[in-house]
Amino acid sequence: MEDQNQCTTRDEQLKNLNLPKVLIHGPPGFSSVLQPPFSQKFHILNHSSLPLHKFAATHAHHCSSVAAVLCDGGYPVTADVLRLLPSLRLLVTASAGTDHVDLEECRRLGVRVAGAGNMFSEDVADLAVGLLIDVMMKISAANRCLRERILVVSRDFPLASIFKLTGKKVGIVGLGKIGLEVAHRLEAFGCMISYNSRSKKTFVSYPFYSSVVELATNNNVLVLCCALNDQTRHMINREVMLALGKGGIIVNVARGALIYEKELLRCLMEREIGGAGLDVFENEPLVCEEFFSLDNVVLSPHAGFSTLESHDGICQLVGRNLEAFFSNKPLITPII
């Protein structure tokens, strides 16, 4: 039996010698994203039990010949990471965003990059609307009150601070695929949509505001759907929040650092804005605990992409991108 096991191991090693090496760069369990039959076409390397630089130091022979990386959005691919992988030709991210990837360095090195495309757009839009309804109608706060045996009829629950969504003016920051999906859903509630984006979109009739402050001034709600970069970091600051006003609500399903979080907390606690629905946070995976005691805030653990359907879809997509690249075919969802 021992000889048979040794033969099996040798057979697997010989087979792997002829397969492209794919490094998994993500949390424990992330390797499950690459499923059969795609996983059987590559030599999979998983460093989740070690920081990447330590893995590279102890497995230099592997890292020197890694052809592709499959990464999670919470695991940065910086210039330092790229230097550890001199043979890298492809980076596939399972994230909708690319702020964790040094795209400029990838271009310089000739590394192709594939993303999640529009895989998560509908789910993230659903969550954005869900968060908004929850904040406005205080569903989570009411649930907590009832569970704590606080009766609504006793007026201990603040019914006067509940708002309806119908007819509200909603400003969307970033009118890409997710932003458009949010807009379409909110139109069904009779909401009046306007937006801010890098440029005016010719294919929509929604009013366009070139300034986020101006957008906030003219709306009851801001929904953040834009990318995080040097220009958008902390774009939602105190000036924007005060422009939104005391009854205003902010929903963020994009990236946490779009909001100056300390200023958001101050405005929420001082009731300078009405509330917030947050799926993302400035220092993920850490969440500022001061949010926990606020009934005008609804929190979600970066779960906009977590439906079963999206998980199955991204498993297929990352495998198809890897397969296409190593078959000399066009990437399915190219970024670079």
Side-chain angles (χ1 to χ4, degrees), residues 169-173 192-195 215 219-224:
K169 294 186 290 183
V170 179
I172 298 175
V173 182
M192 293 170 280
I193 309 296
S194 56
Y195 71 101
L215 184 72
N219 283 282
N220 310 116
V221 176
L222 290 183
V223 181
L224 311 185

Side-chain angles (χ1 to χ4, degrees), residues 169 212-220 222 239-240 242-245:
K169 294 186 290 183
V212 177
V213 173
E214 191 179 4
L215 184 72
T217 301
N218 288 278
N219 283 282
N220 310 116
L222 290 183
E239 181 185 9
V240 174
L242 294 180
L244 189 60

Side-chain angles (χ1 to χ4, degrees), residues 128-129 132 170-174 178-179 182 186 215 221-226 249-253:
V129 175
L132 178 55
V170 179
I172 298 175
V173 182
I178 293 173
V182 171
L186 291 177
L215 184 72
V221 176
L222 290 183
V223 181
L224 311 185
C225 303
C226 65
I249 292 171
I250 296 172
V251 173
N252 191 3
V253 290

